[in-house]
């Protein structure tokens, strides 16, 4: 708050003029900060005079104006071409010099791209992961202690796969096939420590998996085998030409540790709220919170349309959801109210992905079948920006790369 006393300002001012006033009052004219302005939970996009006229206010009436740091105007930075629809995006940031983008496609291939900040418009993937026999529907990742990546992928082939990915050597190996769903696996997420995976499927079930337990058990068994006398282990072979060929271990099939049954239609979205709790969304119109240890559905929120996507803000304890209509819905986990907390309407078709900003929990993006991407502030039902000139077909997925860059993928 700059001052508790009313300030008289010309009604002709717009965002730029108001930013100049605020920077003057803050004493930051030498290094001015661009601001956005909220009036009655709506961002100012006209002059004050037009805002007053449109809202039937009086010129002499005092207005409470909230100022917030403005986001930059979105613009295209890079393009990564695929052979088929891009259905999933995940971001890996290991260090300031090591940023990677992981994409899943309908051609069943996972691609890892290394962003080089060269501002070129075409790239080739650093390496690919092959193993699924159906379209990739979702991917999620967690950092390992050795700075490698534990990646989980979900596919229309009714399986999930767990991969150990080394960014330094540009390689990856599938060490687990997760088998148990009876339909296309639509969504997945992994805890930040990499210990637990949750997945949702067309079969209406949610399944829990423990990939690290299996991996540790296998390592212990291998160590025991090595210690046994007269046990032969062959890890490296030599071909007739004298070069060494390393033995590749086959992925281990693994069953779920738990199956949670409550949804009445396909489970289309899952997100971890913490390492002990997650939230799910379904075509049965519901959003449900779950306790991992007990497997109990602790809270249920009810919508009026099928849920397509969700994201969770740990800071605000809020869920945003996209549906089979143009409306984005915000839900308060702490509230006993079972219906939508706030609705955001601007898209003209289904909303396919939503994502909170990594450090500013009031900011989120949405992408839609209407070919547009929108940037929002939860405090206003009007989008901050609409990007409608990048995609030429339905947008299927989107994710933040860092505080200033986001990525989107679709049918083009």
């Amino acid at each position: 708050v700059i001052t508790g006393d009313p300030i008289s300002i010309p009604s002709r001012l717009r965002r730029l003029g108001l930013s100049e006033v605020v920077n003057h009052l803050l004493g930051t004219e030498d290094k001015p900060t661009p601001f956005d302005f909220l009036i009655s939970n709506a961002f100012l996009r006209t002059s004050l005079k037009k805002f007053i006229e449109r809202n039937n206010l009086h010129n002499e009436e005092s207005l409470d104006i909230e100022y917030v740091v403005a986001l930059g105007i979105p613009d295209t930075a890079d393009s990564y071409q695929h052979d088929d629809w891009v259905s999933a995006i995940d971001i890996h940031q290991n260090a300031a010099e090591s940023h990677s983008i992981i994409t899943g496609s309908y051609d069943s291939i996972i691609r890892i791209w290394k962003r080089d900040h060269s501002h070129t418009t075409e790239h080739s993937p650093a390496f690919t992961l092959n193993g699924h026999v159906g379209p990739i529907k979702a991917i999620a990742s967690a950092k390992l202690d050795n700075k490698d990546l534990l990646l989980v992928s979900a596919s229309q082939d009714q399986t999930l796969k767990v991969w150990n990915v080394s960014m330094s050597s540009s390689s990856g190996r599938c060490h687990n096939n997760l088998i148990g769903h009876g339909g296309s696996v639509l969504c997945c997420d992994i805890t930040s420590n990499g210990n637990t995976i949750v997945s949702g499927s067309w079969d209406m079930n949610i399944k829990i998996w423990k990939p690290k337990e299996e991996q540790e058990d296998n390592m212990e068994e291998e160590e025991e085998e090595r210690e046994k006398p007269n046990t032969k282990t062959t890890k490296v072979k030599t071909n007739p030409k004298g070069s060494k060929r390393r033995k590749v271990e086959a992925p281990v099939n693994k069953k779920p540790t738990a199956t949670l049954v409550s949804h009445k239609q396909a489970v289309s979205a899952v997100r971890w709220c913490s390492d002990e709790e997650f939230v799910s969304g379904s075509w049965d119109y519901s959003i449900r919170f779950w306790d991992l240890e007990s497997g109990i559905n602790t809270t249920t929120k009810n919508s009026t349309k099928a849920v397509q996507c969700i994201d969770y803000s740990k800071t605000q304890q809020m869920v945003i959801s996209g549906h089979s209509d143009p409306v984005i819905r915000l839900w308060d986990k702490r509230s006993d109210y079972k219906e939508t907390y706030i609705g955001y309407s601007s898209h003209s078709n289904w909303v396919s992905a939503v994502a909170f900003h990594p450090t500013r929990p009031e900011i989120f993006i949405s992408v839609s079948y209407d070919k547009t991407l929108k940037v929002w502030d939860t405090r206003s039902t009007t989008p901050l920006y609409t990007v409608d000139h990048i995609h030429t077909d339905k947008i299927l997925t989107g994710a933040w790369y860092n505080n200033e860059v986001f990525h989107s993928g679709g049918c083009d």
Side-chain angles (χ1 to χ4, degrees):
V1 178
I2 294 175
T3 176
D5 300 323
I7 300 174
S8 179
I9 54 177
S11 62
R12 69 175 183 276
L13 292 183
R14 303 170 68 96
R15 291 169 60 197
L16 179 59
L18 287 173
S19 286
E20 291 176 351
V21 171
V22 173
N23 278 289
H24 172 73
L25 294 171
L26 294 174
T28 56
E29 296 100 327
D30 294 339
K31 294 182 179 180
T33 300
F35 292 104
D36 256 319
F37 298 89
L38 276 165
I39 306 175
S40 301
N41 290 324
F43 278 97
L44 183 67
R45 290 294 180 263
T46 64
S47 66
L48 284 171
K49 182 179 179 180
K50 286 187 178 180
F51 181 89
I52 290 170
E53 291 173 351
R54 289 177 180 178
N55 291 274
N56 298 317
L57 303 175
H58 300 289
N59 285 331
E60 301 300 324
E61 186 176 344
S62 295
L63 294 177
D64 291 326
I65 303 177
E66 180 181 357
Y67 66 93
V68 296
V69 177
L71 293 174
I73 299 174
D75 194 13
T76 307
D78 295 300
S79 178
Y80 303 85
Q81 296 300 319
H82 293 67
D83 296 329
D84 210 330
W85 294 1
V86 180
S87 49
I89 297 177
D90 194 48
I91 307 300
H92 172 62
Q93 297 188 30
N94 190 39
E97 70 280 0
S98 178
H99 293 178
S100 301
I101 304 158
I102 307 165
T103 59
S105 175
Y106 266 56
D107 61 7
S108 76
I109 298 174
I110 300 168
R111 295 172 172 83
I112 289 83
W113 316 74
K114 292 186 177 180
R115 182 176 167 86
D116 56 14
H117 305 286
S118 63
H119 302 291
T120 55
T121 56
E122 293 186 5
H123 301 266
S124 297
F127 60 103
T128 61
L129 303 176
N130 297 272
H132 284 292
V133 294
I136 307 295
K137 303 297 290 184
I139 52 178
S141 64
K143 296 178 183 177
L144 297 175
D145 294 338
N146 60 359
K147 298 183 180 181
D148 286 346
L149 197 65
L150 189 66
L151 178 70
V152 57
S153 56
S155 171
Q156 193 170 308
D157 63 14
Q158 303 186 15
T159 71
L160 298 99
K161 293 184 182 295
V162 182
W163 311 77
N164 274 109
V165 178
S166 172
M167 294 300 179
S168 58
S169 63
S170 296
S171 63
R173 180 180 71 85
C174 177
H175 67 76
N176 277 137
N177 293 319
L178 307 185
I179 299 174
H181 278 297
S184 173
V185 187
L186 303 178
C187 54
C188 64
D189 199 14
I190 187 169
T191 52
S192 57
N193 57 20
N195 288 338
T196 312
I197 294 169
V198 60
S199 61
S201 168
W202 189 265
D203 64 10
M204 302 182 287
N205 293 332
I206 296 170
K207 293 186 182 292
I208 306 297
W209 318 79
K210 298 283 189 178
K212 281 191 174 182
E213 288 182 3
E214 180 72 22
Q215 190 177 20
E216 290 167 359
D217 290 344
N218 290 341
M219 293 173 65
E220 290 175 0
E221 290 174 4
E222 290 177 3
E223 188 64 29
E224 290 175 0
E225 287 296 322
R226 293 191 190 100
E227 293 175 355
K228 289 180 181 179
N230 303 323
T231 298
K232 297 180 179 180
T233 59
T234 305
K235 291 298 181 182
V236 178
K237 296 181 179 180
T238 304
N239 63 23
K241 294 182 179 181
S243 62
K244 293 181 179 180
R245 182 176 59 197
R246 185 171 296 277
K247 181 181 178 181
V248 178
E249 297 178 3
V252 176
N253 292 339
K254 184 171 175 59
K255 295 182 179 180
T257 60
T259 298
L260 308 180
V261 180
S262 185
H263 285 294
K264 307 303 180 184
Q265 293 291 334
V267 180
S268 51
V270 288
R271 278 290 182 274
W272 287 103
C273 306
S274 67
D275 290 344
E276 295 80 31
E277 183 184 32
F278 66 91
V279 58
S280 62
S282 169
W283 284 23
D284 65 9
Y285 303 177
S286 73
I287 292 174
R288 299 173 185 266
F289 292 87
W290 301 81
D291 176 74
L292 176 62
E293 183 176 356
S294 65
I296 294 175
N297 174 199
T298 56
T299 304
T300 300
K301 307 287 187 179
N302 297 306
S303 177
T304 57
K305 291 291 182 178
V307 179
Q308 296 291 107
C309 54
I310 58 176
D311 197 18
Y312 181 76
S313 168
K314 295 180 181 179
T315 304
Q316 291 188 325
Q317 296 188 48
M318 293 280 195
V319 174
I320 46 172
S321 57
H323 300 254
S324 57
D325 67 1
V327 182
I328 300 161
R329 294 162 173 85
L330 179 71
W331 314 82
D332 189 346
K333 175 180 178 291
R334 300 158 295 182
S335 172
D336 292 332
Y337 191 56
K338 303 296 184 184
E339 307 302 327
T340 306
Y341 184 65
I342 298 176
Y344 303 88
S345 299
S346 181
H347 285 293
S348 60
N349 208 327
W350 291 15
V351 178
S352 48
V354 288
F356 278 109
H357 190 276
T359 60
R360 296 181 59 180
E362 74 278 4
I363 303 297
F364 69 91
I365 57 171
S366 63
V367 301
S368 169
Y369 289 0
D370 65 10
K371 310 175 192 177
T372 70
L373 185 152
K374 295 179 184 286
V375 184
W376 303 80
D377 189 302
T378 56
R379 296 165 292 189
S380 174
T381 55
T382 302
L384 295 173
Y385 300 108
T386 296
V387 182
D388 58 5
H389 60 281
I390 296 177
H391 287 278
T392 59
D393 207 334
K394 292 184 293 185
I395 308 178
L396 302 178
T397 183
W400 288 94
Y401 178 74
N402 56 27
N403 291 341
E404 299 176 349
V405 178
F406 50 78
H407 290 281
S408 58
C411 299
D412 53 1

